[in-house]
Amino acid sequence: MMELEQLITSFLGFSASDAELVAAFFKPSFLAKGDYYLKPGNTCAALSFQRSGLIRVFVNDGVTETTQWISGAGGFVTDLAGLVFNTPAKFYIQALADTELYTMSREDYVRIGTVIPEWHHLEKLFIARCFIFMEQRVFSLLSMKAEERYRWLFNYNPSLFNEVPLQYLASMMGMTPETLSRIRRKISS
């Protein structure tokens, strides 16, 4: 669980001893390829750190699936609205590969503030960082051309292009699979 403690220290700015306390709230869990972490209508009751594997967040309107995000090792997995406000999910979270997680229950998420007094301040910073990342993604979808979005994602996480079906990546970048193929051919030539 050392990688979890390192992430908590670097991402949240905790001391090593506080990071160890926080990490103790997480328990190992596993999702097999194809298993769901969350489905629409269910309420997310956990926050997980992704140790390995791939997770896809997507919506399905009955006709089209739209991928919101694909995460790999080192990311956090949850539906923040469900975790914090106990609201039902509007999207799916599914393992694209066998995935090892460290998972904290909602009850422990609420209780952690009694163990680590500065948790509430650091929690705000964590949520703010998540919000800023989402703002950047929305901005990139609205302002960047398709090729720029491709280059951004490729620079952010090049391994996704070898591990994830291209139709999911195209959807996540707001383009058709055909457009993604054209861009890939153009850049590789």
PDB file of all heavy atoms in Angstrom, residues 139-177:
ATOM      1  N   PHE A 139     -12.778  22.524 -21.214  1.00  0.00           N
ATOM      2  CA  PHE A 139     -12.196  23.584 -22.027  1.00  0.00           C
ATOM      3  C   PHE A 139     -11.531  23.005 -23.274  1.00  0.00           C
ATOM      4  O   PHE A 139     -11.696  23.520 -24.367  1.00  0.00           O
ATOM      5  CB  PHE A 139     -11.182  24.399 -21.213  1.00  0.00           C
ATOM      6  CG  PHE A 139     -10.484  25.454 -22.017  1.00  0.00           C
ATOM      7  CD1 PHE A 139     -11.140  26.622 -22.383  1.00  0.00           C
ATOM      8  CD2 PHE A 139      -9.178  25.267 -22.445  1.00  0.00           C
ATOM      9  CE1 PHE A 139     -10.505  27.587 -23.148  1.00  0.00           C
ATOM     10  CE2 PHE A 139      -8.532  26.226 -23.214  1.00  0.00           C
ATOM     11  CZ  PHE A 139      -9.200  27.393 -23.567  1.00  0.00           C
ATOM     12  N   SER A 140     -10.801  21.913 -23.098  1.00  0.00           N
ATOM     13  CA  SER A 140     -10.117  21.329 -24.255  1.00  0.00           C
ATOM     14  C   SER A 140     -11.111  20.802 -25.278  1.00  0.00           C
ATOM     15  O   SER A 140     -10.909  20.941 -26.480  1.00  0.00           O
ATOM     16  CB  SER A 140      -9.138  20.239 -23.831  1.00  0.00           C
ATOM     17  OG  SER A 140      -9.819  19.083 -23.402  1.00  0.00           O
ATOM     18  N   LEU A 141     -12.211  20.218 -24.816  1.00  0.00           N
ATOM     19  CA  LEU A 141     -13.207  19.723 -25.763  1.00  0.00           C
ATOM     20  C   LEU A 141     -13.877  20.873 -26.512  1.00  0.00           C
ATOM     21  O   LEU A 141     -14.227  20.741 -27.682  1.00  0.00           O
ATOM     22  CB  LEU A 141     -14.264  18.888 -25.040  1.00  0.00           C
ATOM     23  CG  LEU A 141     -13.846  17.477 -24.660  1.00  0.00           C
ATOM     24  CD1 LEU A 141     -14.921  16.805 -23.828  1.00  0.00           C
ATOM     25  CD2 LEU A 141     -13.553  16.646 -25.905  1.00  0.00           C
ATOM     26  N   LEU A 142     -14.060  21.990 -25.828  1.00  0.00           N
ATOM     27  CA  LEU A 142     -14.742  23.117 -26.459  1.00  0.00           C
ATOM     28  C   LEU A 142     -13.826  23.954 -27.339  1.00  0.00           C
ATOM     29  O   LEU A 142     -14.274  24.556 -28.304  1.00  0.00           O
ATOM     30  CB  LEU A 142     -15.379  24.013 -25.389  1.00  0.00           C
ATOM     31  CG  LEU A 142     -16.510  23.386 -24.587  1.00  0.00           C
ATOM     32  CD1 LEU A 142     -16.957  24.320 -23.477  1.00  0.00           C
ATOM     33  CD2 LEU A 142     -17.680  23.022 -25.492  1.00  0.00           C
ATOM     34  N   SER A 143     -12.553  24.033 -26.996  1.00  0.00           N
ATOM     35  CA  SER A 143     -11.687  24.981 -27.684  1.00  0.00           C
ATOM     36  C   SER A 143     -10.655  24.345 -28.617  1.00  0.00           C
ATOM     37  O   SER A 143     -10.178  25.007 -29.524  1.00  0.00           O
ATOM     38  CB  SER A 143     -10.961  25.863 -26.668  1.00  0.00           C
ATOM     39  OG  SER A 143     -10.074  25.077 -25.900  1.00  0.00           O
ATOM     40  N   MET A 144     -10.298  23.098 -28.400  1.00  0.00           N
ATOM     41  CA  MET A 144      -9.266  22.476 -29.218  1.00  0.00           C
ATOM     42  C   MET A 144      -9.869  21.799 -30.441  1.00  0.00           C
ATOM     43  O   MET A 144     -10.979  21.274 -30.390  1.00  0.00           O
ATOM     44  CB  MET A 144      -8.510  21.412 -28.419  1.00  0.00           C
ATOM     45  CG  MET A 144      -7.632  21.941 -27.341  1.00  0.00           C
ATOM     46  SD  MET A 144      -6.821  20.523 -26.529  1.00  0.00           S
ATOM     47  CE  MET A 144      -5.852  21.357 -25.317  1.00  0.00           C
ATOM     48  N   LYS A 145      -9.108  21.786 -31.500  1.00  0.00           N
ATOM     49  CA  LYS A 145      -9.482  21.026 -32.686  1.00  0.00           C
ATOM     50  C   LYS A 145      -9.215  19.557 -32.398  1.00  0.00           C
ATOM     51  O   LYS A 145      -8.488  19.205 -31.476  1.00  0.00           O
ATOM     52  CB  LYS A 145      -8.677  21.512 -33.877  1.00  0.00           C
ATOM     53  CG  LYS A 145      -9.011  22.941 -34.241  1.00  0.00           C
ATOM     54  CD  LYS A 145      -8.223  23.403 -35.426  1.00  0.00           C
ATOM     55  CE  LYS A 145      -8.726  24.803 -35.742  1.00  0.00           C
ATOM     56  NZ  LYS A 145      -7.836  25.612 -36.467  1.00  0.00           N
ATOM     57  N   ALA A 146      -9.802  18.696 -33.210  1.00  0.00           N
ATOM     58  CA  ALA A 146      -9.695  17.249 -32.995  1.00  0.00           C
ATOM     59  C   ALA A 146      -8.244  16.789 -32.874  1.00  0.00           C
ATOM     60  O   ALA A 146      -7.900  16.009 -31.979  1.00  0.00           O
ATOM     61  CB  ALA A 146     -10.405  16.498 -34.119  1.00  0.00           C
ATOM     62  N   GLU A 147      -7.378  17.267 -33.756  1.00  0.00           N
ATOM     63  CA  GLU A 147      -5.972  16.848 -33.697  1.00  0.00           C
ATOM     64  C   GLU A 147      -5.307  17.320 -32.407  1.00  0.00           C
ATOM     65  O   GLU A 147      -4.496  16.594 -31.826  1.00  0.00           O
ATOM     66  CB  GLU A 147      -5.207  17.375 -34.908  1.00  0.00           C
ATOM     67  CG  GLU A 147      -3.793  16.823 -34.993  1.00  0.00           C
ATOM     68  CD  GLU A 147      -3.084  17.230 -36.272  1.00  0.00           C
ATOM     69  OE1 GLU A 147      -3.730  17.307 -37.336  1.00  0.00           O
ATOM     70  OE2 GLU A 147      -1.854  17.443 -36.193  1.00  0.00           O
ATOM     71  N   GLU A 148      -5.655  18.493 -31.934  1.00  0.00           N
ATOM     72  CA  GLU A 148      -5.089  18.996 -30.666  1.00  0.00           C
ATOM     73  C   GLU A 148      -5.562  18.141 -29.489  1.00  0.00           C
ATOM     74  O   GLU A 148      -4.777  17.849 -28.574  1.00  0.00           O
ATOM     75  CB  GLU A 148      -5.494  20.457 -30.449  1.00  0.00           C
ATOM     76  CG  GLU A 148      -4.877  21.427 -31.440  1.00  0.00           C
ATOM     77  CD  GLU A 148      -5.460  22.817 -31.326  1.00  0.00           C
ATOM     78  OE1 GLU A 148      -6.701  22.955 -31.173  1.00  0.00           O
ATOM     79  OE2 GLU A 148      -4.668  23.777 -31.379  1.00  0.00           O
ATOM     80  N   ARG A 149      -6.832  17.732 -29.506  1.00  0.00           N
ATOM     81  CA  ARG A 149      -7.342  16.860 -28.434  1.00  0.00           C
ATOM     82  C   ARG A 149      -6.607  15.529 -28.454  1.00  0.00           C
ATOM     83  O   ARG A 149      -6.247  14.985 -27.412  1.00  0.00           O
ATOM     84  CB  ARG A 149      -8.847  16.654 -28.592  1.00  0.00           C
ATOM     85  CG  ARG A 149      -9.641  17.909 -28.334  1.00  0.00           C
ATOM     86  CD  ARG A 149     -11.141  17.636 -28.218  1.00  0.00           C
ATOM     87  NE  ARG A 149     -11.747  16.988 -29.354  1.00  0.00           N
ATOM     88  CZ  ARG A 149     -12.323  17.625 -30.381  1.00  0.00           C
ATOM     89  NH1 ARG A 149     -12.341  18.941 -30.418  1.00  0.00           N
ATOM     90  NH2 ARG A 149     -12.880  16.943 -31.353  1.00  0.00           N
ATOM     91  N   TYR A 150      -6.376  14.993 -29.645  1.00  0.00           N
ATOM     92  CA  TYR A 150      -5.632  13.743 -29.781  1.00  0.00           C
ATOM     93  C   TYR A 150      -4.237  13.893 -29.182  1.00  0.00           C
ATOM     94  O   TYR A 150      -3.789  13.067 -28.389  1.00  0.00           O
ATOM     95  CB  TYR A 150      -5.545  13.324 -31.249  1.00  0.00           C
ATOM     96  CG  TYR A 150      -4.604  12.166 -31.476  1.00  0.00           C
ATOM     97  CD1 TYR A 150      -5.057  10.861 -31.348  1.00  0.00           C
ATOM     98  CD2 TYR A 150      -3.261  12.385 -31.798  1.00  0.00           C
ATOM     99  CE1 TYR A 150      -4.192   9.793 -31.534  1.00  0.00           C
ATOM    100  CE2 TYR A 150      -2.401  11.320 -31.992  1.00  0.00           C
ATOM    101  CZ  TYR A 150      -2.870  10.029 -31.856  1.00  0.00           C
ATOM    102  OH  TYR A 150      -2.017   8.975 -32.035  1.00  0.00           O
ATOM    103  N   ARG A 151      -3.536  14.943 -29.571  1.00  0.00           N
ATOM    104  CA  ARG A 151      -2.169  15.157 -29.074  1.00  0.00           C
ATOM    105  C   ARG A 151      -2.156  15.352 -27.562  1.00  0.00           C
ATOM    106  O   ARG A 151      -1.270  14.841 -26.881  1.00  0.00           O
ATOM    107  CB  ARG A 151      -1.518  16.353 -29.774  1.00  0.00           C
ATOM    108  CG  ARG A 151      -1.156  16.075 -31.218  1.00  0.00           C
ATOM    109  CD  ARG A 151      -0.487  17.290 -31.867  1.00  0.00           C
ATOM    110  NE  ARG A 151      -0.304  17.129 -33.286  1.00  0.00           N
ATOM    111  CZ  ARG A 151       0.701  16.489 -33.853  1.00  0.00           C
ATOM    112  NH1 ARG A 151       1.633  15.940 -33.120  1.00  0.00           N
ATOM    113  NH2 ARG A 151       0.789  16.401 -35.169  1.00  0.00           N
ATOM    114  N   TRP A 152      -3.152  16.077 -27.034  1.00  0.00           N
ATOM    115  CA  TRP A 152      -3.224  16.287 -25.584  1.00  0.00           C
ATOM    116  C   TRP A 152      -3.359  14.948 -24.860  1.00  0.00           C
ATOM    117  O   TRP A 152      -2.622  14.662 -23.924  1.00  0.00           O
ATOM    118  CB  TRP A 152      -4.400  17.209 -25.214  1.00  0.00           C
ATOM    119  CG  TRP A 152      -4.526  17.388 -23.737  1.00  0.00           C
ATOM    120  CD1 TRP A 152      -3.866  18.300 -22.962  1.00  0.00           C
ATOM    121  CD2 TRP A 152      -5.323  16.611 -22.834  1.00  0.00           C
ATOM    122  NE1 TRP A 152      -4.210  18.142 -21.641  1.00  0.00           N
ATOM    123  CE2 TRP A 152      -5.107  17.116 -21.529  1.00  0.00           C
ATOM    124  CE3 TRP A 152      -6.205  15.543 -22.988  1.00  0.00           C
ATOM    125  CZ2 TRP A 152      -5.735  16.589 -20.401  1.00  0.00           C
ATOM    126  CZ3 TRP A 152      -6.831  15.018 -21.875  1.00  0.00           C
ATOM    127  CH2 TRP A 152      -6.588  15.541 -20.594  1.00  0.00           C
ATOM    128  N   LEU A 153      -4.323  14.112 -25.294  1.00  0.00           N
ATOM    129  CA  LEU A 153      -4.534  12.821 -24.639  1.00  0.00           C
ATOM    130  C   LEU A 153      -3.330  11.916 -24.820  1.00  0.00           C
ATOM    131  O   LEU A 153      -2.911  11.242 -23.882  1.00  0.00           O
ATOM    132  CB  LEU A 153      -5.802  12.134 -25.156  1.00  0.00           C
ATOM    133  CG  LEU A 153      -6.156  10.826 -24.444  1.00  0.00           C
ATOM    134  CD1 LEU A 153      -6.396  11.045 -22.951  1.00  0.00           C
ATOM    135  CD2 LEU A 153      -7.377  10.189 -25.089  1.00  0.00           C
ATOM    136  N   PHE A 154      -2.746  11.921 -26.019  1.00  0.00           N
ATOM    137  CA  PHE A 154      -1.584  11.084 -26.264  1.00  0.00           C
ATOM    138  C   PHE A 154      -0.422  11.495 -25.359  1.00  0.00           C
ATOM    139  O   PHE A 154       0.260  10.647 -24.789  1.00  0.00           O
ATOM    140  CB  PHE A 154      -1.160  11.138 -27.734  1.00  0.00           C
ATOM    141  CG  PHE A 154      -0.094  10.138 -28.063  1.00  0.00           C
ATOM    142  CD1 PHE A 154      -0.429   8.829 -28.337  1.00  0.00           C
ATOM    143  CD2 PHE A 154       1.247  10.497 -28.066  1.00  0.00           C
ATOM    144  CE1 PHE A 154       0.551   7.883 -28.621  1.00  0.00           C
ATOM    145  CE2 PHE A 154       2.241   9.563 -28.350  1.00  0.00           C
ATOM    146  CZ  PHE A 154       1.885   8.255 -28.624  1.00  0.00           C
ATOM    147  N   ASN A 155      -0.203  12.791 -25.197  1.00  0.00           N
ATOM    148  CA  ASN A 155       0.860  13.267 -24.300  1.00  0.00           C
ATOM    149  C   ASN A 155       0.537  12.986 -22.841  1.00  0.00           C
ATOM    150  O   ASN A 155       1.431  12.703 -22.051  1.00  0.00           O
ATOM    151  CB  ASN A 155       1.112  14.764 -24.498  1.00  0.00           C
ATOM    152  CG  ASN A 155       1.775  15.049 -25.820  1.00  0.00           C
ATOM    153  OD1 ASN A 155       2.487  14.220 -26.368  1.00  0.00           O
ATOM    154  ND2 ASN A 155       1.519  16.229 -26.356  1.00  0.00           N
ATOM    155  N   TYR A 156      -0.742  13.057 -22.480  1.00  0.00           N
ATOM    156  CA  TYR A 156      -1.162  12.813 -21.094  1.00  0.00           C
ATOM    157  C   TYR A 156      -0.991  11.348 -20.717  1.00  0.00           C
ATOM    158  O   TYR A 156      -0.503  11.039 -19.640  1.00  0.00           O
ATOM    159  CB  TYR A 156      -2.621  13.250 -20.903  1.00  0.00           C
ATOM    160  CG  TYR A 156      -3.148  12.996 -19.523  1.00  0.00           C
ATOM    161  CD1 TYR A 156      -2.783  13.813 -18.461  1.00  0.00           C
ATOM    162  CD2 TYR A 156      -3.998  11.928 -19.275  1.00  0.00           C
ATOM    163  CE1 TYR A 156      -3.252  13.571 -17.179  1.00  0.00           C
ATOM    164  CE2 TYR A 156      -4.478  11.682 -18.008  1.00  0.00           C
ATOM    165  CZ  TYR A 156      -4.103  12.513 -16.957  1.00  0.00           C
ATOM    166  OH  TYR A 156      -4.570  12.260 -15.691  1.00  0.00           O
ATOM    167  N   ASN A 157      -1.390  10.433 -21.626  1.00  0.00           N
ATOM    168  CA  ASN A 157      -1.318   9.004 -21.309  1.00  0.00           C
ATOM    169  C   ASN A 157      -1.193   8.184 -22.594  1.00  0.00           C
ATOM    170  O   ASN A 157      -2.175   7.622 -23.073  1.00  0.00           O
ATOM    171  CB  ASN A 157      -2.547   8.570 -20.502  1.00  0.00           C
ATOM    172  CG  ASN A 157      -2.387   7.195 -19.908  1.00  0.00           C
ATOM    173  OD1 ASN A 157      -1.490   6.441 -20.263  1.00  0.00           O
ATOM    174  ND2 ASN A 157      -3.265   6.852 -18.988  1.00  0.00           N
ATOM    175  N   PRO A 158       0.015   8.094 -23.159  1.00  0.00           N
ATOM    176  CA  PRO A 158       0.184   7.387 -24.436  1.00  0.00           C
ATOM    177  C   PRO A 158      -0.158   5.899 -24.384  1.00  0.00           C
ATOM    178  O   PRO A 158      -0.558   5.320 -25.387  1.00  0.00           O
ATOM    179  CB  PRO A 158       1.657   7.606 -24.775  1.00  0.00           C
ATOM    180  CG  PRO A 158       2.315   8.030 -23.515  1.00  0.00           C
ATOM    181  CD  PRO A 158       1.258   8.654 -22.657  1.00  0.00           C
ATOM    182  N   SER A 159      -0.030   5.276 -23.224  1.00  0.00           N
ATOM    183  CA  SER A 159      -0.296   3.837 -23.143  1.00  0.00           C
ATOM    184  C   SER A 159      -1.763   3.504 -23.418  1.00  0.00           C
ATOM    185  O   SER A 159      -2.073   2.379 -23.828  1.00  0.00           O
ATOM    186  CB  SER A 159       0.125   3.288 -21.774  1.00  0.00           C
ATOM    187  OG  SER A 159      -0.675   3.832 -20.744  1.00  0.00           O
ATOM    188  N   LEU A 160      -2.667   4.461 -23.213  1.00  0.00           N
ATOM    189  CA  LEU A 160      -4.080   4.196 -23.501  1.00  0.00           C
ATOM    190  C   LEU A 160      -4.283   3.758 -24.946  1.00  0.00           C
ATOM    191  O   LEU A 160      -5.141   2.928 -25.234  1.00  0.00           O
ATOM    192  CB  LEU A 160      -4.936   5.449 -23.242  1.00  0.00           C
ATOM    193  CG  LEU A 160      -5.190   5.852 -21.799  1.00  0.00           C
ATOM    194  CD1 LEU A 160      -6.035   7.122 -21.749  1.00  0.00           C
ATOM    195  CD2 LEU A 160      -5.854   4.736 -21.019  1.00  0.00           C
ATOM    196  N   PHE A 161      -3.483   4.294 -25.854  1.00  0.00           N
ATOM    197  CA  PHE A 161      -3.665   4.018 -27.269  1.00  0.00           C
ATOM    198  C   PHE A 161      -3.276   2.590 -27.640  1.00  0.00           C
ATOM    199  O   PHE A 161      -3.615   2.124 -28.729  1.00  0.00           O
ATOM    200  CB  PHE A 161      -2.909   5.047 -28.114  1.00  0.00           C
ATOM    201  CG  PHE A 161      -3.544   6.407 -28.027  1.00  0.00           C
ATOM    202  CD1 PHE A 161      -3.245   7.263 -26.989  1.00  0.00           C
ATOM    203  CD2 PHE A 161      -4.479   6.807 -28.968  1.00  0.00           C
ATOM    204  CE1 PHE A 161      -3.842   8.499 -26.892  1.00  0.00           C
ATOM    205  CE2 PHE A 161      -5.095   8.044 -28.875  1.00  0.00           C
ATOM    206  CZ  PHE A 161      -4.777   8.891 -27.831  1.00  0.00           C
ATOM    207  N   ASN A 162      -2.597   1.883 -26.753  1.00  0.00           N
ATOM    208  CA  ASN A 162      -2.260   0.475 -26.968  1.00  0.00           C
ATOM    209  C   ASN A 162      -3.160  -0.459 -26.164  1.00  0.00           C
ATOM    210  O   ASN A 162      -3.173  -1.657 -26.411  1.00  0.00           O
ATOM    211  CB  ASN A 162      -0.805   0.202 -26.578  1.00  0.00           C
ATOM    212  CG  ASN A 162       0.164   0.932 -27.463  1.00  0.00           C
ATOM    213  OD1 ASN A 162      -0.065   1.066 -28.661  1.00  0.00           O
ATOM    214  ND2 ASN A 162       1.243   1.427 -26.883  1.00  0.00           N
ATOM    215  N   GLU A 163      -3.881   0.087 -25.174  1.00  0.00           N
ATOM    216  CA  GLU A 163      -4.616  -0.761 -24.235  1.00  0.00           C
ATOM    217  C   GLU A 163      -6.131  -0.650 -24.328  1.00  0.00           C
ATOM    218  O   GLU A 163      -6.839  -1.494 -23.796  1.00  0.00           O
ATOM    219  CB  GLU A 163      -4.191  -0.415 -22.804  1.00  0.00           C
ATOM    220  CG  GLU A 163      -2.710  -0.623 -22.542  1.00  0.00           C
ATOM    221  CD  GLU A 163      -2.261  -0.057 -21.204  1.00  0.00           C
ATOM    222  OE1 GLU A 163      -3.026   0.679 -20.563  1.00  0.00           O
ATOM    223  OE2 GLU A 163      -1.128  -0.364 -20.806  1.00  0.00           O
ATOM    224  N   VAL A 164      -6.634   0.395 -24.967  1.00  0.00           N
ATOM    225  CA  VAL A 164      -8.065   0.694 -24.943  1.00  0.00           C
ATOM    226  C   VAL A 164      -8.614   0.663 -26.371  1.00  0.00           C
ATOM    227  O   VAL A 164      -7.966   1.181 -27.290  1.00  0.00           O
ATOM    228  CB  VAL A 164      -8.296   2.092 -24.315  1.00  0.00           C
ATOM    229  CG1 VAL A 164      -9.760   2.493 -24.388  1.00  0.00           C
ATOM    230  CG2 VAL A 164      -7.813   2.106 -22.872  1.00  0.00           C
ATOM    231  N   PRO A 165      -9.793   0.073 -26.576  1.00  0.00           N
ATOM    232  CA  PRO A 165     -10.396   0.119 -27.914  1.00  0.00           C
ATOM    233  C   PRO A 165     -10.529   1.562 -28.406  1.00  0.00           C
ATOM    234  O   PRO A 165     -10.926   2.462 -27.665  1.00  0.00           O
ATOM    235  CB  PRO A 165     -11.778  -0.515 -27.699  1.00  0.00           C
ATOM    236  CG  PRO A 165     -11.586  -1.422 -26.515  1.00  0.00           C
ATOM    237  CD  PRO A 165     -10.604  -0.705 -25.626  1.00  0.00           C
ATOM    238  N   LEU A 166     -10.180   1.771 -29.660  1.00  0.00           N
ATOM    239  CA  LEU A 166     -10.131   3.125 -30.214  1.00  0.00           C
ATOM    240  C   LEU A 166     -11.493   3.820 -30.208  1.00  0.00           C
ATOM    241  O   LEU A 166     -11.554   5.045 -30.092  1.00  0.00           O
ATOM    242  CB  LEU A 166      -9.542   3.109 -31.620  1.00  0.00           C
ATOM    243  CG  LEU A 166      -8.057   2.754 -31.692  1.00  0.00           C
ATOM    244  CD1 LEU A 166      -7.561   2.789 -33.127  1.00  0.00           C
ATOM    245  CD2 LEU A 166      -7.222   3.674 -30.819  1.00  0.00           C
ATOM    246  N   GLN A 167     -12.592   3.054 -30.298  1.00  0.00           N
ATOM    247  CA  GLN A 167     -13.900   3.720 -30.282  1.00  0.00           C
ATOM    248  C   GLN A 167     -14.157   4.391 -28.932  1.00  0.00           C
ATOM    249  O   GLN A 167     -14.811   5.437 -28.869  1.00  0.00           O
ATOM    250  CB  GLN A 167     -15.045   2.775 -30.657  1.00  0.00           C
ATOM    251  CG  GLN A 167     -15.431   1.747 -29.601  1.00  0.00           C
ATOM    252  CD  GLN A 167     -14.779   0.394 -29.828  1.00  0.00           C
ATOM    253  OE1 GLN A 167     -13.774   0.283 -30.535  1.00  0.00           O
ATOM    254  NE2 GLN A 167     -15.350  -0.636 -29.244  1.00  0.00           N
ATOM    255  N   TYR A 168     -13.611   3.848 -27.847  1.00  0.00           N
ATOM    256  CA  TYR A 168     -13.759   4.489 -26.537  1.00  0.00           C
ATOM    257  C   TYR A 168     -12.939   5.773 -26.475  1.00  0.00           C
ATOM    258  O   TYR A 168     -13.379   6.784 -25.933  1.00  0.00           O
ATOM    259  CB  TYR A 168     -13.318   3.567 -25.406  1.00  0.00           C
ATOM    260  CG  TYR A 168     -14.136   2.299 -25.254  1.00  0.00           C
ATOM    261  CD1 TYR A 168     -13.621   1.223 -24.564  1.00  0.00           C
ATOM    262  CD2 TYR A 168     -15.416   2.161 -25.791  1.00  0.00           C
ATOM    263  CE1 TYR A 168     -14.349   0.057 -24.392  1.00  0.00           C
ATOM    264  CE2 TYR A 168     -16.146   1.000 -25.640  1.00  0.00           C
ATOM    265  CZ  TYR A 168     -15.606  -0.048 -24.933  1.00  0.00           C
ATOM    266  OH  TYR A 168     -16.327  -1.191 -24.773  1.00  0.00           O
ATOM    267  N   LEU A 169     -11.718   5.720 -27.014  1.00  0.00           N
ATOM    268  CA  LEU A 169     -10.870   6.913 -27.010  1.00  0.00           C
ATOM    269  C   LEU A 169     -11.478   8.004 -27.884  1.00  0.00           C
ATOM    270  O   LEU A 169     -11.487   9.182 -27.506  1.00  0.00           O
ATOM    271  CB  LEU A 169      -9.462   6.568 -27.497  1.00  0.00           C
ATOM    272  CG  LEU A 169      -8.667   5.633 -26.596  1.00  0.00           C
ATOM    273  CD1 LEU A 169      -7.345   5.257 -27.251  1.00  0.00           C
ATOM    274  CD2 LEU A 169      -8.447   6.239 -25.235  1.00  0.00           C
ATOM    275  N   ALA A 170     -11.998   7.616 -29.050  1.00  0.00           N
ATOM    276  CA  ALA A 170     -12.627   8.593 -29.936  1.00  0.00           C
ATOM    277  C   ALA A 170     -13.804   9.261 -29.230  1.00  0.00           C
ATOM    278  O   ALA A 170     -13.934  10.496 -29.239  1.00  0.00           O
ATOM    279  CB  ALA A 170     -13.084   7.919 -31.225  1.00  0.00           C
ATOM    280  N   SER A 171     -14.631   8.475 -28.595  1.00  0.00           N
ATOM    281  CA  SER A 171     -15.782   9.008 -27.874  1.00  0.00           C
ATOM    282  C   SER A 171     -15.347   9.968 -26.773  1.00  0.00           C
ATOM    283  O   SER A 171     -15.909  11.054 -26.608  1.00  0.00           O
ATOM    284  CB  SER A 171     -16.587   7.846 -27.277  1.00  0.00           C
ATOM    285  OG  SER A 171     -17.630   8.319 -26.466  1.00  0.00           O
ATOM    286  N   MET A 172     -14.318   9.593 -26.035  1.00  0.00           N
ATOM    287  CA  MET A 172     -13.820  10.427 -24.941  1.00  0.00           C
ATOM    288  C   MET A 172     -13.293  11.754 -25.466  1.00  0.00           C
ATOM    289  O   MET A 172     -13.372  12.774 -24.787  1.00  0.00           O
ATOM    290  CB  MET A 172     -12.721   9.672 -24.176  1.00  0.00           C
ATOM    291  CG  MET A 172     -12.243  10.380 -22.935  1.00  0.00           C
ATOM    292  SD  MET A 172     -11.174   9.351 -21.918  1.00  0.00           S
ATOM    293  CE  MET A 172      -9.659   9.389 -22.827  1.00  0.00           C
ATOM    294  N   MET A 173     -12.753  11.762 -26.677  1.00  0.00           N
ATOM    295  CA  MET A 173     -12.213  12.994 -27.255  1.00  0.00           C
ATOM    296  C   MET A 173     -13.240  13.752 -28.088  1.00  0.00           C
ATOM    297  O   MET A 173     -12.921  14.774 -28.700  1.00  0.00           O
ATOM    298  CB  MET A 173     -10.978  12.668 -28.114  1.00  0.00           C
ATOM    299  CG  MET A 173      -9.787  12.227 -27.295  1.00  0.00           C
ATOM    300  SD  MET A 173      -8.312  11.970 -28.308  1.00  0.00           S
ATOM    301  CE  MET A 173      -8.687  10.404 -29.104  1.00  0.00           C
ATOM    302  N   GLY A 174     -14.490  13.256 -28.119  1.00  0.00           N
ATOM    303  CA  GLY A 174     -15.540  13.959 -28.839  1.00  0.00           C
ATOM    304  C   GLY A 174     -15.408  13.880 -30.344  1.00  0.00           C
ATOM    305  O   GLY A 174     -15.682  14.854 -31.043  1.00  0.00           O
ATOM    306  N   MET A 175     -14.991  12.722 -30.849  1.00  0.00           N
ATOM    307  CA  MET A 175     -14.851  12.553 -32.295  1.00  0.00           C
ATOM    308  C   MET A 175     -15.296  11.148 -32.684  1.00  0.00           C
ATOM    309  O   MET A 175     -15.474  10.281 -31.835  1.00  0.00           O
ATOM    310  CB  MET A 175     -13.406  12.809 -32.740  1.00  0.00           C
ATOM    311  CG  MET A 175     -12.386  11.858 -32.147  1.00  0.00           C
ATOM    312  SD  MET A 175     -10.667  12.192 -32.627  1.00  0.00           S
ATOM    313  CE  MET A 175     -10.259  13.611 -31.645  1.00  0.00           C
ATOM    314  N   THR A 176     -15.477  10.940 -33.964  1.00  0.00           N
ATOM    315  CA  THR A 176     -15.857   9.613 -34.449  1.00  0.00           C
ATOM    316  C   THR A 176     -14.602   8.737 -34.541  1.00  0.00           C
ATOM    317  O   THR A 176     -13.483   9.255 -34.655  1.00  0.00           O
ATOM    318  CB  THR A 176     -16.511   9.690 -35.842  1.00  0.00           C
ATOM    319  OG1 THR A 176     -15.536  10.165 -36.780  1.00  0.00           O
ATOM    320  CG2 THR A 176     -17.736  10.593 -35.834  1.00  0.00           C
ATOM    321  N   PRO A 177     -14.773   7.421 -34.532  1.00  0.00           N
ATOM    322  CA  PRO A 177     -13.618   6.534 -34.733  1.00  0.00           C
ATOM    323  C   PRO A 177     -12.919   6.794 -36.071  1.00  0.00           C
ATOM    324  O   PRO A 177     -11.695   6.680 -36.169  1.00  0.00           O
ATOM    325  CB  PRO A 177     -14.219   5.127 -34.682  1.00  0.00           C
ATOM    326  CG  PRO A 177     -15.442   5.279 -33.846  1.00  0.00           C
ATOM    327  CD  PRO A 177     -15.977   6.663 -34.183  1.00  0.00           C
TER     328      PRO A 177
END
